[in-house]
Amino acid sequence: MPAMTSAAGVVGFLSEPDPTLQAFALETLNEDIESVWTEVSGSIGQIEALYEDENFSHRELAALVLSKVYYQLQEYNEAMVFALGAGKHFDLENADEYEETIVAKCIDTYIALCAMHNPPTSASATTHPTDNTPANTTSATLASPSTPFTQSQLPSKSLLSRDDEQAWDSSAPGGGNAGVPGAHPHPLTLSQQTKKNLQSVIRRIFKSCYEIGAYKQVVGIAVEARNMEVLREAILQASHDEKSKGKKAVTAGPGPTEELMEYVLDICMNVVQERGLRNEILRLILGLLNEIPSPDYFAIARCVVYLDQHSMASNMLRQLVQKGDGRSLAIAYQLSFDLYENGTQEFLQKVMEELPDTDEEEKKEHPHMNGNAVPPASSHANEDEDAQASDQLLSHTQQASSDDAPRTTLVASRTKPKPETSAQHTAFTSIRTILRGTKSIELNLEFLYRSSHSDKAILNKIRDSLEARNSIFHTSVTFAHAFMYAGTTIDTFFRDNLEWLGKAVNWSKFTATAALGVIHRGNLSQGQKLLQPYLPKENAGPEGGSGSPYSQGGALYALGLIYTNHGTNVLDYLRRQFKATQEEVVQHGGALGLGVAGMATGSEEIYEELKQVLYSDSAINGEAVGLAMGLVMLGTGNVKALGDMITYAHETQHEKIVRGLAMGIALIMYARQEAADELITGLLEDADPALRYGGIMTISLAYCGSGSNKAVRKLLHVAVSDVSDDVRRAAVMGLGFVLFRKPGSVPRMVELLSESYNPHVRYGATMALGIACAGTGLDEAIELLEPMLKDSVDFVRQGALISLAMILVQQNEVMNPKVVAVRKQLQKSLTDRHEDAMAKFGCALALGILDAGGRNCTIGLQTPTGNLNMAAIVGMAVFTQYWYWFPLTHFLSLAFTPTAIIGVDSALEVPKFKFWSNTRPSLFDYPPEQEVKAEEAVEKVKTAVLSTTAQARRRRREKERKEGKGGEGAMEVDQTPTTPRPEAEEDEMVVDTAKVADGEKGEKASSGGATGAKRKAEREKVGYEIENMSRVLPAQIRWISFPGERWVPVKKPTGGVILLHDTQPSEPKTLLELKARKKTTVSAAVPGQTTGGAAGTRSAQEEDAEMTDSHAGAGVGAGMGVGAAAAAGVLTAIDEDEEEAPVPDEFEVEPEEEDEDED
């Protein structure tokens, strides 16, 4: 039937009284509505009258025609309402543009309808349950940390959530959406029949999704709509459909249900921004996982850690061990590794307390292990009355969760169940070892030691290029050394450069000693012995002994770094030293060490000891103490601690103390999200810029990794409006913390800020890029940073250099060709005499970061399983404070994450086997060592030798000519002037020829380098074998497989420690030799010995005597033990006479030079 050219006649039938003619007109118009809708639009009133006539038999057809006309008029709200009234005439299966638009509109309206019935829980409504009580009862404890300091009462809503207040206003005309183009109608404006029809359409959509297996679409709608019933239904439907297919679901890969659960977890952790909704979804997932006959234990572990359900974690481990089979035991061990990787010390301690008790021998046998994450005096520090106030900062859903969960109490060991069999006893002992973290740390230490690929020539180049007498340059070399060898236990650089090390005085000596903690991080068995020569003596009195207080303070800081986030008995030692000394520098190092080692323990005892020192009002130790208080209470949201810190921040006159307290406050609110909104509001409205700075850091840490839109809006607003440069700089940097899970969005967001007139804002933009895009090699970020390397301000160039190194860490030329140019630029800037000191400092740090951990570490702010990496985020946040205090630079090492796959069996031993990487070997290979430096050194030596040789030959010939071989009467023959020249030129020709040959090689290599690399890559075979405990980059993991039949991983490889199920336990197995353990055992014989080598044969007393010798007495060329002793002697030397040494040295040298010139 040909299309109508005019609808005038058919539209006229709508006015006829005969219903048959009216129905005919509607059917005809419906078929050609796209071509005649302009004429039909004038008769909308007549068609609506037909639709409203209940006696008209074709009401639904009239509704469909109306819907299509409104659709053409772009009135999508009315089009959806009439489409819902069309009933069966509206065909959901049709894939035309009209149907897709209406379906999308229906889904949006359904989401709005459900969200109205399930409103988000306001954080401010639940964080202050005592608002109705008299003000005088709460002002002391609750109002101070959360009330804006310019107000006497709490605001109704925080600034961070005021934008959301007008999301739904039912009193407004049109449901609050009047005049908003494209907005869906408010649910309150829809009739009950329309809502009923909407539900019917949505059910039809869900049913069609279930039929084709599109469960993820239903899950997405359910999460947006906050409808937990639909979410539960979708997961159960997927499980039912999988079961109905029978054995087909039993495959090597994950089934549909497992994939769906992973998808739900992914969007829950990475997409959902509201903490209350996230907890609600996780609790639902947790319940469903427990109902499944073969649950995904690793998904449960992620939920358990986030929800702080330690009882459920211990129950899971008990059930798996009691099953008794090898695979269940391997899963239990893998769960333990995952729990340690993602949980806090306090959480892990509670899990261990609820496990069956093992023999007391275990506690005696491992006194150095993490037996007491919280000191014994109060193993549940947050259970007392004061700390219970922290529960007031929890969201409503968290409170419900904690009310439902059983209270955690101390259970005496005699009441704990005993393991039923010896095998279970062994299993629970191993699980405790894993949960303490000792096994993970030992394996990572072994990997970093045996796989170190640091290029020592680069470090020597940094040392030679920077003048050691300048403290900033000496410190920068120390940082580069610490980062390059972080966690490797290789510190030979100090021993080989005693003269350079001896130039460290005061705080440079503090930093150099603390660097040992970065290098030996994780060396739990020998950490305290290694630092023994530097640590304060136990009974040395309040002054800490005869050594330098700077080396003593640095040693306490180093001890904390070695035991980072691993609360062993070293906490007791640090507390004793911290309380015993009155030396401010030692207290400074002790506070930092206590904070790092006691991170997130929530210990009230440590907090009170730190607070007593804080009240002494010393600027030197006050900043470190404020920071340490936040580290100990990390993430607890303790209201009492917040009140104390904010009150003292207003009382003290020292800016350093206020800055340390502001950073500590931010750390206490780590990952609290909405619960921190009131505190953020109060801090941002304070008149003190240091506290406003703390408010910005609170946003950064409370919303880290959440991608929260309201947090981003607030940071951007402050970045362009605050009067303080420090606050603006921190606001731009904060974008990196909030968005590091979405690195691709950060370059676009800071592009304009990177061109700001304010250099502090530009610096913040560089650091935001480095933090968010660390380890990604993102081209967009590099393109933004490259122009900033030529910025006119030195500290902006410094930030650009450091950020480039963060982004390009572990990148080689194949992965990102720009890394070669960046390395050359860094080395060129180091040797440039016209470059500023700040930029050179950034170059040294950048070179250290590029080769972090022996080129085996990346910067990972989230764990391989997708959770927030607490230690890494905290380390990165404190590292940014190097702007004010250089020693805090060492905190960046907390963000270094080893990139390896370490397979262990059920005996927690490392078997020798190979797995497969389905890539070319060059793609993820180590970068080549630098060769340019060696060529330059050889060239200089040759030139010097040739010049000396030529002069010596000329002198020899002159002497021979004068003396004469024929005696005095011999006839003198005049030498032609060119006689000596040919010989010199002849000698130089050899060198020049070599230079030309090398130059031709270099030109060929440079010109054909790119093509040669491409040809080599083309010739390489795809796929190669990798030994166990080898470097595997995060981008490489998806190409890894385990083709062997014997060793089968119990979960999909994610990097780190992987438990392997031995399918052939009766066959003999070959184990990898743990070199680091062997090396550490050898070194332990020499106190202060910090690297591997021959075993010392002298007694400890002789070594201690040697370590106290003066710097000059330590002979160059001494053995490994002598080198360690000499290094200790240099660093522990008191600086009394050295403080003013540089000034007289300069005046002594100048007259000597003048005298020589006069002579």
Side-chain angles (χ1 to χ4, degrees):
M1 179 178 177
M4 287 190 300
T5 56
S6 176
V10 179
V11 170
F13 287 151
L14 297 175
S15 304
E16 295 292 332
D18 187 357
T20 306
L21 291 175
Q22 293 172 343
F24 170 77
L26 291 173
E27 291 176 355
T28 306
L29 292 174
N30 182 50
E31 292 176 359
D32 296 319
I33 193 66
E34 293 183 0
S35 57
V36 299
W37 66 269
T38 52
E39 298 179 70
V40 179
S41 60
S43 304
I44 284 180
Q46 293 178 329
I47 303 176
E48 285 187 4
L50 294 175
Y51 168 69
E52 294 171 358
D53 185 2
E54 296 183 358
N55 296 323
F56 183 55
S57 59
H58 289 72
R59 292 181 64 240
E60 294 179 349
L61 182 59
L64 182 62
V65 174
L66 283 171
S67 175
K68 291 182 177 180
V69 173
Y70 277 117
Y71 167 75
Q72 296 292 343
L73 293 171
Q74 297 186 5
E75 295 288 345
Y76 300 124
N77 296 335
E78 288 79 3
M80 182 204 68
V81 171
F82 284 113
L84 292 174
K88 61 182 180 181
H89 289 282
F90 179 60
D91 186 9
L92 290 175
E93 305 300 329
N94 195 2
D96 288 344
E97 184 180 353
Y98 162 72
E99 282 78 10
E100 290 180 354
T101 304
I102 298 302
V103 166
K105 204 67 181 175
C106 289
I107 293 174
D108 288 343
T109 306
Y110 170 78
I111 290 172
L113 183 64
C114 292
M116 185 187 69
H117 292 295
N118 301 286
T121 304
S122 171
S124 60
T126 60
T127 55
H128 299 281
T130 56
D131 284 349
N132 296 328
T133 59
N136 57 0
T137 63
T138 61
S139 59
T141 58
L142 294 179
S144 57
S146 51
T147 306
F149 309 117
T150 56
Q151 302 179 15
S152 59
Q153 295 182 352
L154 296 171
S156 60
K157 296 275 281 185
S158 86
L159 289 178
L160 284 181
S161 55
R162 285 178 184 170
D163 291 339
D164 298 331
E165 287 184 8
Q166 299 182 7
W168 298 114
D169 185 4
S170 58
S171 62
N177 285 316
V180 179
H184 48 74
H186 191 278
L188 294 179
T189 64
L190 299 177
S191 64
Q192 290 298 326
Q193 184 60 39
T194 303
K195 292 180 182 178
K196 184 177 178 181
N197 294 339
L198 177 63
Q199 292 285 351
S200 176
V201 169
I202 294 297
R203 294 308 308 173
R204 288 164 60 190
I205 293 173
F206 288 168
K207 184 178 179 181
S208 63
C209 290
Y210 293 150
E211 290 175 354
I212 62 175
Y215 307 107
K216 294 181 180 179
Q217 298 184 14
V218 180
V219 165
I221 295 173
V223 171
E224 278 200 73
R226 311 171 63 88
N227 193 325
M228 297 299 105
E229 291 301 322
V230 174
L231 182 58
R232 175 189 294 272
E233 174 191 307
I235 296 173
L236 293 177
Q237 184 67 38
S239 178
H240 178 269
D241 293 345
E242 184 178 357
K243 291 177 183 177
S244 64
K245 294 179 181 179
K247 297 182 180 180
K248 184 179 179 182
V250 183
T251 59
T257 307
E258 293 181 12
E259 289 183 352
L260 185 62
M261 296 300 279
E262 289 180 5
Y263 174 75
V264 176
L265 273 174
D266 182 60
I267 63 172
C268 182
M269 303 302 292
N270 299 326
V271 178
V272 176
Q273 297 182 2
E274 185 195 338
R275 188 177 184 182
L277 176 60
R278 184 183 297 124
N279 291 346
E280 194 174 353
I281 296 172
L282 288 176
R283 282 197 298 273
L284 171 65
I285 295 173
L286 207 52
L288 291 174
L289 287 171
N290 289 326
E291 295 175 6
I292 298 175
S294 56
D296 183 355
Y297 291 104
F298 306 110
I300 295 176
R302 291 183 65 185
C303 302
V304 161
V305 171
Y306 190 88
L307 295 174
D308 200 24
Q309 298 287 338
H310 48 84
S311 298
M312 188 171 292
S314 57
N315 290 336
M316 260 196 316
L317 294 173
R318 276 200 303 269
Q319 293 171 6
L320 287 167
V321 171
Q322 289 169 359
K323 286 185 179 180
D325 61 292
R327 181 171 180 79
S328 297
L329 185 62
I331 292 175
Y333 290 162
Q334 184 69 67
L335 274 179
S336 302
F337 279 113
D338 289 354
L339 290 174
Y340 169 73
E341 190 177 64
N342 299 305
T344 63
Q345 294 189 59
E346 189 177 14
F347 174 83
L348 297 171
Q349 178 67 21
K350 292 178 179 178
V351 172
M352 285 188 286
E353 286 174 357
E354 297 182 2
L355 291 175
D357 195 17
T358 53
D359 293 341
E360 294 298 325
E361 296 177 359
E362 179 196 352
K363 299 175 183 177
K364 297 177 183 177
E365 187 179 343
H366 303 286
H368 62 280
M369 301 283 186
N370 184 11
N372 293 300
V374 182
S378 174
S379 60
H380 290 275
N382 281 354
E383 294 287 332
D384 58 9
E385 294 179 1
D386 294 335
Q388 284 177 357
S390 64
D391 292 338
Q392 296 164 3
L393 290 178
L394 294 173
S395 64
H396 176 69
T397 53
Q398 283 187 313
Q399 289 178 347
S401 140
S402 60
D403 292 338
D404 296 338
R407 294 286 295 177
T408 303
T409 56
L410 275 173
V411 182
S413 60
R414 65 177 182 274
T415 64
K416 290 183 181 180
K418 296 283 186 179
E420 298 176 0
T421 63
S422 60
Q424 290 187 14
H425 178 277
T426 304
F428 284 120
T429 302
S430 299
I431 287 175
R432 289 178 187 276
T433 303
I434 298 171
L435 291 176
R436 290 188 184 103
T438 51
K439 196 65 185 177
S440 296
I441 293 173
E442 177 189 356
L443 292 171
N444 284 329
L445 187 74
E446 170 67 24
F447 162 69
L448 292 175
Y449 172 68
R450 69 191 298 150
S451 302
S452 176
H453 278 71
S454 290
D455 191 349
K456 197 171 183 179
I458 296 178
L459 194 57
N460 291 333
K461 178 71 174 293
I462 300 174
R463 179 204 60 201
D464 296 338
S465 302
L466 301 178
E467 175 55 53
R469 286 185 299 176
N470 191 326
S471 62
I472 186 176
F473 291 157
H474 194 286
T475 303
S476 63
V477 178
T478 301
F479 289 138
H481 174 221
F483 291 162
M484 281 186 183
Y485 292 94
T488 64
T489 72
I490 301 172
D491 62 354
T492 52
F493 181 78
F494 279 164
R495 302 175 182 178
D496 298 340
N497 296 274
L498 293 179
E499 182 181 355
W500 169 85
L501 189 62
K503 296 179 181 179
V505 294
N506 300 339
W507 288 106
S508 295
K509 182 171 292 187
F510 177 94
T511 304
T513 311
L516 293 173
V518 177
I519 296 168
H520 291 275
R521 182 187 171 194
N523 196 352
L524 304 182
S525 59
Q526 299 294 325
Q528 199 160 349
K529 291 182 181 179
L530 292 166
L531 293 173
Q532 198 63 45
Y534 312 93
L535 291 168
K537 308 304 178 186
E538 286 280 359
N539 300 316
E543 300 303 323
S546 58
S548 168
Y550 293 97
S551 66
Q552 293 177 4
L556 293 176
Y557 183 16
L559 192 62
L561 290 169
I562 290 176
Y563 294 89
T564 297
N565 195 24
H566 189 79
T568 66
N569 285 351
V570 74
L571 279 175
D572 297 330
Y573 173 81
L574 286 169
R575 290 172 63 188
R576 288 197 304 271
Q577 294 299 330
F578 182 70
K579 290 188 294 184
T581 183
Q582 298 300 320
E583 181 66 48
E584 292 180 336
V585 177
V586 180
Q587 286 181 336
H588 183 96
L592 291 176
L594 270 175
V596 179
M599 187 186 299
T601 56
S603 171
E604 288 287 342
E605 286 79 6
I606 298 177
Y607 170 79
E608 290 297 329
E609 292 168 4
L610 291 167
K611 187 169 70 173
Q612 293 305 316
V613 176
L614 175 71
Y615 287 165
S616 66
D617 203 42
S618 166
I620 292 179
N621 57 33
E623 183 176 15
V625 167
L627 192 61
M629 292 165 72
L631 288 169
V632 172
M633 290 293 176
L634 179 65
T636 61
N638 192 300
V639 173
K640 179 178 178 297
L642 291 171
D644 293 341
M645 295 168 74
I646 291 178
T647 301
Y648 193 75
H650 283 92
E651 293 175 356
T652 185
Q653 300 299 314
H654 295 290
E655 183 183 354
K656 289 173 68 70
I657 296 179
V658 177
R659 197 163 51 236
L661 289 171
M663 195 66 200
I665 291 168
L667 291 168
I668 291 177
M669 300 309 291
Y670 165 79
R672 306 290 295 181
Q673 295 192 13
E674 290 88 354
D677 283 0
E678 298 291 354
L679 174 63
I680 292 168
T681 303
L683 292 172
L684 291 182
E685 293 181 357
D686 197 274
D688 189 345
L691 284 177
R692 294 204 304 277
Y693 183 96
I696 292 298
M697 293 307 298
T698 305
I699 297 177
S700 303
L701 291 176
Y703 287 90
C704 59
S706 67
S708 171
N709 292 331
K710 61 182 181 182
V712 171
R713 286 198 301 269
K714 191 64 182 176
L715 290 172
L716 289 173
H717 172 71
V718 174
V720 296
S721 62
D722 199 276
V723 296
S724 169
D725 286 336
D726 288 346
V727 178
R728 297 179 67 178
R729 182 181 67 249
V732 183
M733 279 195 300
L735 294 172
F737 286 101
V738 176
L739 297 171
F740 69 77
R741 278 178 165 161
K742 304 174 182 176
S745 63
V746 178
R748 297 194 305 271
M749 190 165 296
V750 301
E751 184 175 4
L752 292 178
L753 294 173
S754 67
E755 301 173 359
S756 169
Y757 72 93
N758 190 323
H760 293 265
V761 174
R762 298 201 301 273
Y763 172 86
T766 65
M767 294 305 293
L769 289 169
I771 294 167
C773 307
T776 62
L778 196 66
D779 289 333
E780 292 84 351
I782 297 173
E783 290 174 0
L784 273 182
L785 289 171
E786 283 177 338
M788 304 180 80
L789 294 175
K790 302 177 182 178
D791 197 276
S792 58
V793 181
D794 54 358
F795 62 78
V796 177
R797 298 197 299 275
Q798 179 193 80
L801 292 165
I802 294 173
S803 297
L804 268 177
M806 290 182 182
I807 295 170
L808 292 173
V809 62
Q810 285 198 317
Q811 300 280 316
N812 60 21
E813 187 177 3
V814 179
M815 297 173 68
N816 195 319
K818 292 184 179 180
V819 71
V820 178
V822 170
R823 284 184 180 271
K824 289 181 179 179
Q825 174 67 30
L826 291 173
Q827 295 187 10
K828 179 182 177 183
S829 299
L830 273 177
T831 56
D832 187 357
R833 295 182 179 180
H834 303 289
E835 186 61 272
D836 293 310
M838 296 289 287
K840 288 188 176 183
F841 178 85
C843 286
L845 258 63
L847 286 169
I849 294 169
L850 281 173
D851 293 344
R855 298 182 174 176
N856 290 306
C857 287
T858 188
I859 298 177
L861 300 188
Q862 53 183 335
T863 63
T865 55
N867 287 19
L868 296 178
N869 189 341
M870 179 188 71
I873 294 170
V874 171
M876 182 65 77
V878 181
F879 162 72
T880 60
Q881 306 309 300
Y882 84 90
W883 179 277
Y884 304 104
W885 190 230
F886 280 160
L888 298 180
T889 307
H890 283 312
F891 269 83
L892 182 62
S893 64
L894 273 63
F896 291 165
T897 305
T899 53
I901 286 183
I902 305 173
V904 298
D905 60 10
S906 295
L908 299 185
E909 296 175 330
V910 185
K912 191 173 183 179
F913 77 102
K914 296 181 180 180
F915 49 89
W916 185 259
S917 176
N918 194 30
T919 61
R920 293 186 175 90
S922 62
L923 181 57
F924 298 106
D925 198 7
Y926 287 99
E929 292 189 359
Q930 299 292 320
E931 299 178 357
V932 178
K933 299 175 293 302
E935 291 176 0
E936 289 177 354
V938 171
E939 194 174 311
K940 289 180 181 179
V941 171
K942 286 182 178 180
T943 303
V945 170
L946 289 172
S947 175
T948 305
T949 303
Q951 293 176 6
R953 288 177 177 174
R954 283 196 294 270
R955 286 195 298 268
R956 187 172 64 251
R957 284 192 298 269
E958 184 68 21
K959 184 178 180 181
E960 291 175 356
R961 185 181 66 81
K962 288 182 178 179
E963 293 179 352
K965 294 183 180 180
E968 293 183 358
M971 184 178 62
E972 293 184 3
V973 180
D974 293 335
Q975 296 281 347
T976 59
T978 58
T979 302
R981 269 185 87 79
E983 294 181 10
E985 289 177 359
E986 180 180 355
D987 289 336
E988 290 178 359
M989 280 298 293
V990 177
V991 179
D992 292 341
T993 305
K995 288 182 180 179
V996 171
D998 291 342
E1000 290 175 354
K1001 283 184 180 179
E1003 290 177 4
K1004 291 180 180 178
S1006 59
S1007 62
T1011 57
K1014 291 181 179 178
R1015 291 175 182 173
K1016 182 179 178 182
E1018 291 173 359
R1019 290 195 300 268
E1020 280 183 317
K1021 292 182 179 179
V1022 175
Y1024 62 102
E1025 290 183 334
I1026 303 178
E1027 291 281 352
N1028 189 18
M1029 195 176 275
S1030 296
R1031 187 180 85 150
V1032 177
L1033 301 187
Q1036 188 179 2
I1037 289 177
R1038 61 193 180 117
W1039 306 105
I1040 297 297
S1041 60
F1042 290 76
E1045 297 181 357
R1046 179 170 184 178
W1047 303 105
V1048 180
V1050 297
K1051 74 167 187 176
K1052 183 180 179 182
T1054 56
V1057 181
I1058 302 291
L1059 256 294
L1060 304 170
H1061 176 54
D1062 189 358
T1063 58
Q1064 302 170 6
S1066 60
E1067 297 292 328
K1069 61 182 179 182
T1070 306
L1071 301 178
L1072 282 178
E1073 180 185 5
L1074 299 184
K1075 299 179 181 179
R1077 179 188 297 176
K1078 181 178 179 181
K1079 169 249 183 185
T1080 304
T1081 304
V1082 171
S1083 301
V1086 183
Q1089 177 78 24
T1090 51
T1091 63
T1097 57
R1098 292 163 294 175
S1099 65
Q1101 290 79 7
E1102 291 173 340
E1103 290 294 342
D1104 289 337
E1106 182 182 3
M1107 288 173 189
T1108 56
D1109 288 341
S1110 64
H1111 170 199
V1116 182
M1120 297 295 286
V1122 178
V1130 169
L1131 289 177
T1132 55
I1134 300 177
D1135 298 330
E1136 292 177 358
D1137 298 330
E1138 295 180 12
E1139 292 182 6
E1140 299 180 0
V1143 176
D1145 282 346
E1146 292 178 3
F1147 287 102
E1148 289 174 3
V1149 172
E1150 289 178 0
E1152 292 177 1
E1153 291 179 354
E1154 292 175 1
D1155 293 341
E1156 290 177 359
D1157 294 338
E1158 291 175 1
D1159 293 337

